[in-house]
Amino acid sequence: MNRRPLRSCGATAALSVALLLSSCTSGTVKGAAGKGGVGDPLFPALGNGGYQVTHYGLDLDYDVRKKHLDASAAITAKATQDLRSFQLDLQGLKVSAVRVDGEDAAFTRKGHKLTVQPSAALRKGAQFRTTVEYSGTPLEITDPDGAHEGWVKTPDGAFVAGEPAGAMTWFPGNNHPGDKAAYDFRITVPKSYTAVANGELRATKTDKKHSTYEWHNAEPMASYLATATIGHFHVQTSRTPDGLPLYVAVDPAVAGASKEALDQLPEIMKWERGLFGAYPFSSAGAIVDNTPERIDWIALETQTKPVYAGAPDAATVVHEMAHQWFGDSVTPATWEDAWLNESFATYAEWLWEEREGGRTPQEQFDEMYDEDEAHAKRWKFPPGDPGKPENVTDDPVYERGAMLLQQLRLAVGDKTFFSILKEWPAEHRHANADAEDFIAFCEERTDEDLTDLFDDWLYGEGRPDWEY
């Protein structure tokens, strides 16, 4: 994500009988209630225990004029314990029916938790399918840092972005980065509108009044990276020189100002593949919308197609595309490790600036380090310990995280450092990781003692001594 001030720049298939039966149990299995929340250090109420989702099938019908959504979600999951009930995250919206493996299930609502009690308890290891029918006006929510996210209404549709909590404003799920799944979207909108989601466009169907877009995202994705952005867009489809599909949707109001940066997308992707290794997904692109003034952040790395709240510059495209490796493919286990996303994306900007004839990463580091400490927000907390939810998108997570990477580069040398940039996302492809994983990964690749470096730059208070 990039929340710096905006810069203006000129169905799943039906389960087999065997799988359905595997989730049924006799009355002798009592089970337990799945916990609401997974113990995230910064957002303890997000996510749910007792199961892991493998697939979401989202069927969304949105009336732009009335701002009304009629929807259903088919959620395929695996029980990680015996369950007599479990919870889903859903903020607002009216639930009319819930079924588990085709059988009506009891449900209750409290806050953003939807508690589901199947007609029979679920055994640990069982795969089960929950269908939720729901409707209403999706919400826009305000984050602890004051930013707006979720289902953000625009004059011609909706700008849909979910970091950290906004996914639950438009579909029920296990809303935490530690639970990644595949997605299919079926989005119906008025005929003149376009609906863009993650992955590849499989089909478009149009009648006299409506258009339906079917999108398929096969690779695992955290819920905060999902989008279903709707509007009037100029759409351009193409392929990179090596054949990867590109889908770029741009609001006409910002098309001219976006052109220079978006024209560089294939070049940026080629350059980043050279740095970070094979691109981790089967398609790429961008969604550039014309959002209300209250959306004062610039972009989010929604998987395969980052969403931009206005016209991006090339550095912002570099940042969000770097997230496809760092954040989207390798996703933090909890929000406390958001620095693992933002440090690499910010460092990619530094490397791009050098490539374009600007400052080197070391020069950028030096300028940041030498600024007046009393006025530098980047020193107000350590990136590995944000402490408060509003800090997860603040300067230390981005800038001090990137400075940590520059210190790592100095400590291990360029050969090892640039190997880390490729090997880290390759080893943890489509998985979750945390700070301990990254520190151990780096220590395995050098004879240098990195203890002080990580202690100071990741967890130390104030401005560290950077000479090791």
Side-chain angles (χ1 to χ4, degrees), residues 171-241:
F171 70 94
N174 200 7
N175 192 22
H176 189 268
D179 192 355
K180 301 170 70 170
Y183 283 71
D184 281 283
F185 306 82
R186 187 175 187 271
I187 310 170
T188 300
V189 291
K191 185 177 179 179
S192 62
Y193 292 81
T194 300
V196 190
N198 312 87
E200 295 80 59
L201 182 62
R202 288 292 182 85
T204 304
K205 302 172 184 178
T206 301
D207 59 26
K208 291 182 179 180
K209 294 184 177 181
H210 300 94
S211 293
T212 299
Y213 296 83
E214 297 181 3
W215 293 90
H216 174 67
N217 188 91
E219 298 93 355
M221 178 169 70
S223 58
Y224 80 94
L225 298 170
T227 190
T229 292
I230 296 163
H232 291 128
F233 292 112
H234 289 325
V235 174
Q236 182 177 357
T237 60
S238 60
R239 290 184 178 270
T240 63

Side-chain angles (χ1 to χ4, degrees), residues 57-116:
L58 304 179
D59 193 337
L60 312 172
D61 188 334
Y62 188 61
D63 186 320
V64 175
R65 183 177 64 83
K66 295 181 180 179
K67 298 178 174 57
H68 183 85
L69 178 68
D70 288 301
S72 66
I75 305 163
T76 304
K78 183 177 181 180
T80 57
Q81 65 180 68
D82 290 346
L83 287 173
R84 70 170 182 268
S85 67
F86 58 92
Q87 296 187 348
L88 298 166
D89 296 305
L90 182 64
Q91 182 75 42
L93 300 170
K94 180 181 178 180
V95 176
S96 56
V98 179
R99 294 181 292 277
V100 176
D101 290 341
E103 299 290 332
D104 288 343
F107 63 92
T108 57
R109 303 288 300 277
K110 185 176 182 180
H112 70 266
K113 295 297 183 182
L114 168 64
T115 300
V116 178

Side-chain angles (χ1 to χ4, degrees), residues 238-246 282:
S238 60
R239 290 184 178 270
T240 63
D242 58 347
L244 189 76
L246 294 178
S282 53

Side-chain angles (χ1 to χ4, degrees), residues 280-304:
F281 304 114
S282 53
S283 63
I287 306 168
V288 185
D289 209 348
N290 184 30
T291 61
E293 290 184 3
R294 66 182 179 278
I295 307 304
D296 57 357
W297 51 274
I298 190 168
L300 176 65
E301 60 271 18
T302 46
Q303 193 157 302
T304 70

Side-chain angles (χ1 to χ4, degrees), residues 220-441:
M221 178 169 70
S223 58
Y224 80 94
L225 298 170
T227 190
T229 292
I230 296 163
H232 291 128
F233 292 112
H234 289 325
V235 174
Q236 182 177 357
T237 60
S238 60
R239 290 184 178 270
T240 63
D242 58 347
L244 189 76
L246 294 178
Y247 186 102
V248 176
V250 184
D251 187 293
V254 293
S258 302
K259 186 178 186 307
E260 182 178 354
L262 295 179
D263 283 351
Q264 296 180 72
L265 179 58
E267 178 187 358
I268 288 169
M269 291 185 63
K270 180 180 179 180
W271 175 74
E272 291 188 336
R273 285 198 301 271
L275 286 171
F276 309 139
Y279 180 73
F281 304 114
S282 53
S283 63
I287 306 168
V288 185
D289 209 348
N290 184 30
T291 61
E293 290 184 3
R294 66 182 179 278
I295 307 304
D296 57 357
W297 51 274
I298 190 168
L300 176 65
E301 60 271 18
T302 46
Q303 193 157 302
T304 70
K305 298 179 194 68
V307 290
Y308 300 92
D313 60 12
T316 304
V317 176
V318 166
H319 183 106
E320 302 307 328
M321 292 309 298
H323 274 310
Q324 303 306 303
W325 286 265
F326 306 102
D328 294 16
S329 180
V330 186
T331 305
T334 73
W335 283 111
E336 192 171 58
D337 283 312
W339 71 274
L340 279 171
N341 298 6
E342 302 301 346
S343 60
F344 285 99
T346 302
Y347 198 80
E349 288 190 66
W350 291 9
L351 291 170
W352 178 261
E353 180 174 330
E354 179 182 35
R355 178 187 185 272
E356 296 298 288
R359 297 168 298 170
T360 67
Q362 186 61 54
E363 288 171 339
Q364 295 182 67
F365 175 99
D366 291 342
E367 289 181 17
M368 288 186 174
Y369 190 86
D370 291 339
E371 285 179 355
D372 183 357
E373 182 176 0
H375 297 92
K377 290 173 61 179
R378 70 184 61 94
W379 309 119
K380 70 180 183 179
F381 63 86
D385 186 16
K388 301 177 182 179
E390 59 265 32
N391 289 342
V392 76
T393 56
D394 211 341
D395 289 0
V397 174
Y398 293 71
E399 295 176 354
R400 184 166 161 180
M403 296 175 83
L404 180 157
L405 293 182
Q406 179 62 16
Q407 289 304 102
L408 178 65
R409 179 178 177 178
L410 294 175
V412 302
D414 277 10
K415 181 178 180 180
T416 297
F417 177 76
F418 285 101
S419 293
I420 288 170
L421 292 188
K422 284 187 176 180
E423 293 171 7
W424 169 252
E427 182 164 310
H428 295 275
R429 184 181 176 95
H430 302 320
N432 293 89
D434 60 20
E436 289 185 5
D437 295 323
F438 183 69
I439 293 170
F441 182 90

